[in-house]
Structures are given as C-alpha cells and as structure tokens.
C-alpha cells in the first residue's frame, strides 16, 4: 500500500462551478479506470438533487442517500454495485430530503466517508454545478480537488469562482485542473495556460494541469448507450486520456498535493520524491 493510500479511502473530488462541462463523465470513467487497475473504488454522487451518475454508469440503484439519513444505516449499506464492481452511493432526483440538507448533515456525511475504507481504496466525489456550501462541504474533505474546465469564458468564470470559494472558505491551496473537450494536447495546454493566467491575477493558490480529455464522438456514443467510454471503447482517444489522468493523480508517481504552499503558482509538475 502506497503512502497516498495510508488514509483510506483516498478521496478525489470533481468540481467545475459550471454545469455540463463533463464532471460526471470524468468521475464515472475515473472510478472505472481505477477499479480496473485493481483498486476498490466507490463513487459518491454529491449532485444530491439532480443525481445522474447512475445513468452515466448504467447502474440501477435500489437505495439512495435518503436511505442513510436519520437512521443507523451506513453509506456502505446503501451502495449499489455498478460495472466492474464499482460501488455507487447514489443521490436522488428532486427529493426534498436531499435538496436542502443542512450543513450539519452534509458535514456528518462527509465525515463518514472514511467508514467506507473496507469497501473503497478510492472514493470519487462527483459534485453538482454551483459554488454553494453543498459543494464546499463535500469537496473540502477530499485529498485531491479536480477542477474541470472547457475552453470557453463562462466555464473559466465559474471554475474561477469555484476555486475562489474553496480557497477562501476551506483554505484549499492546491487544485488539479482537467481540461475537457480539447482538439489535441496543445489545445489543452493553451486552455490551461489562459485559465491559470486569469486565476493568478487574483488568487494565490497552486494550479496544476493534470490532464486534457479530447472532444470525442466515442464519448458521446458511450453516453447514449449508458456504457462509460473506458469500458465500451477503451482504445478511443477520450478513454486513453481518462486512463492517463487516473495514473497521474494516484499511486506512487502521482503529482504530489501540496496544500501547505500558497506560493504563487509553482510552475510545472513535480515527481514524487
Ligand atoms: N470529452 C467529451 N467529448 C464529447 N462530449 C462530451 C465530452 N465531455 C462531456 N461531453 C458532453 O457534455 C455533456 C455533459 O457532461 P456531464 O459529465 O454530464 O457534465 P457535468 O457533470 O459537468 O454537468 C455530456 O452529456 C456530453 O454530451
Ligand atoms: Mg454532473
């Protein structure tokens, strides 16, 4: 077991501020890529009101987070077995109980993530759009905070707002940026550079570019078929990029997370020492 996994589950949150930029698809495929690499993986659908990870994954949850509220039921007990054995902790759709969870309850749920250790080496947390405290409560407990952006102004603004809130209210200093829907790697680099330049004007936190996912017709096809692309088209450009992302943020050679350093944007990625 690597150092990174000493406190299980190792939690990876996926946020963006803006909706529709690919959080859920990245979360689901990341979970499957890690499970296929031999890890035990759980996925928490923190989009409590408009949950859809189960649809993207092609799973059929009989229980949702509602079943764990107010009772002595653990998250592990409500988990649904998804493809490859990934455990899905499903949110709800328009369920009043989940739409206005109190901060205390969210905090309690986030604290209970560690109880998933027997069934999960990794926990992927798929968050909703927005920058409200429901996002902050679940993201702040994660070991890694992924921010998904696409190369358009609205996505930049919302991702910036998301980073700002997490930085200012939860003291997060390290963000892993994933650029989605790119033409090629150079395009991904360019989008990252432009995004970082904007953020650097106003915030002192570290942004790292951990991956670019191509715009891919195979991805669209897989979404239509409710069969995630790393399973249905593992040789596609998007699937290979998602596999590479999984490797870059986990394991002994992952880019290190340095929450301590609020230095101005340390350049490039470092290798684990
Ligand atoms: N890499 C990609 N290539 C092609 N289409 C994509 C890609 N990523 C996302 N999409 C499109 O964006 C939509 C929204 O993705 P989703 O993961 O649900 O976003 P979010 O969770 O951020 O709201 C998908 O249904 C798909 O149509
Ligand atoms: Mg989503």
């Amino acid at each position: 077991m690597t150092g990174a996994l000493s406190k299980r589950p190792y939690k990876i949150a996926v946020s963006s501020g803006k909706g529709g930029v690919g959080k859920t698809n990245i979360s689901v495929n990341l979970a499957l890529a890690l499970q296929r690499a031999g890890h035990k993986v759980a996925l928490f659908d923190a989009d409590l009101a408009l949950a859809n990870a189960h649809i993207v994954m092609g799973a059929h949850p009989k229980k949702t987070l509602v079943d764990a509220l107010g009772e002595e039921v653990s998250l592990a007990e409500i988990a649904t077995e998804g493809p490859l054995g990934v455990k899905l902790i499903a949110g709800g759709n328009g369920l009043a109980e989940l739409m206005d969870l109190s901060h205390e309850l969210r905090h309690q749920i986030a604290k209970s993530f560690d109880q998933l250790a027997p069934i999960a080496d990794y926990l992927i947390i798929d968050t909703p759009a927005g920058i409200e405290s429901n996002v902050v409560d679940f993201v702040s407990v994660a070991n890694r905070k992924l921010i998904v952006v696409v190369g358009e102004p609205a996505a930049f603004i919302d991702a910036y707002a998301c980073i700002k809130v997490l930085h200012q209210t939860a003291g997060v200093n390290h963000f892993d940026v994933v650029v989605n829907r790119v033409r090629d790697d150079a395009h991904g680099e360019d989008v990252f550079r432009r995004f970082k330049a904007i953020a650097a004007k106003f915030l002192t936190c570290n942004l790292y570019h951990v991956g670019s996912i191509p715009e891919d017709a195979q991805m669209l096809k897989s979404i239509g078929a409710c069969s995630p692309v790393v399973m249905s088209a593992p040789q596609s450009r998007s699937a290979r990029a998602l596999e590479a992302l999984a490797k870059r943020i986990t394991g002994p050679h992952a880019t290190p997370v340095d929450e301590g350093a609020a230095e101005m944007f340390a350049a490039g990625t470092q290798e684990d020492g």
Side-chain angles (χ1 to χ4, degrees):
M1 184 120 314
T2 67
L5 287 179
S6 56
K7 183 149 175 57
R8 288 194 304 168
Y10 187 79
K11 296 175 275 298
I12 301 169
V14 183
S15 325
S16 66
K18 190 178 183 310
V21 297
K23 290 179 295 298
T24 300
N25 278 283
I26 289 171
S27 299
V28 166
N29 282 291
L30 198 52
L32 290 165
L34 288 169
Q35 180 85 20
R36 193 160 52 193
H39 305 291
K40 292 186 284 182
V41 184
L43 173 64
F44 179 78
D45 193 342
D47 198 344
L48 300 178
L50 294 169
N52 66 344
H54 60 289
I55 298 169
V56 171
M57 194 185 245
H60 304 281
K62 293 205 173 52
K63 292 187 171 164
T64 70
L65 191 60
V66 174
D67 298 291
L69 296 179
E71 311 193 18
E72 292 300 305
V73 179
S74 70
L75 294 183
E77 286 171 82
I78 60 157
T80 300
E81 178 120 351
L84 304 181
V86 166
K87 303 289 191 302
L88 172 69
I89 296 149
N93 277 89
L95 298 171
E97 299 98 309
L98 294 183
M99 283 165 83
D100 37 47
L101 278 189
S102 66
H103 168 69
E104 282 69 33
L105 215 41
R106 286 195 302 263
H107 187 67
Q108 212 174 307
I109 293 166
K111 255 181 30 195
S112 71
F113 286 163
D114 285 341
Q115 292 167 9
L116 289 166
I119 64 161
D121 305 319
Y122 289 98
L123 175 68
I124 312 296
I125 304 166
D126 177 24
T127 69
I131 53 169
E132 287 78 25
S133 54
N134 55 352
V135 175
V136 177
D137 286 341
F138 291 124
V139 174
S140 58
V141 298
N143 302 77
R144 294 194 93 102
K145 288 90 176 171
L146 264 56
I147 301 291
V148 181
V149 293
V150 296
E152 52 183 66
F156 276 22
I157 291 167
D158 292 2
Y160 170 76
C162 183
I163 286 173
K164 183 176 172 187
V165 163
L166 286 163
H167 178 61
Q168 293 183 343
T169 67
V172 180
N173 286 325
H174 179 118
F175 296 92
D176 291 323
V177 176
V178 180
V179 184
N180 192 17
R181 310 192 77 156
V182 302
R183 289 188 298 277
D184 50 33
D185 283 343
H187 179 210
E189 291 291 342
D190 178 58
V191 170
F192 175 71
R193 253 196 311 275
R194 283 190 285 127
F195 177 62
K196 184 163 143 170
I198 293 168
K201 278 193 192 148
F202 306 103
L203 297 174
T204 52
C205 46
N206 300 322
L207 300 195
Y208 292 89
H209 185 199
V210 291
S212 298
I213 317 294
E215 170 77 29
D216 189 359
Q218 285 291 345
M219 174 83 111
L220 282 175
K221 220 169 128 185
S222 79
I223 294 168
C226 299
S227 177
V229 73
V230 296
M231 288 174 62
S232 60
Q235 293 309 320
S236 63
R237 294 169 71 216
S238 55
R240 282 182 288 146
L242 287 154
E243 293 278 358
L245 171 65
K247 288 204 182 77
R248 197 154 316 124
I249 59 173
T250 63
H253 302 297
T255 56
V257 174
D258 187 2
E259 286 289 7
E263 289 305 316
M264 202 66 179
F265 295 105
T269 52
Q270 306 138 315
E271 281 302 309
D272 215 351

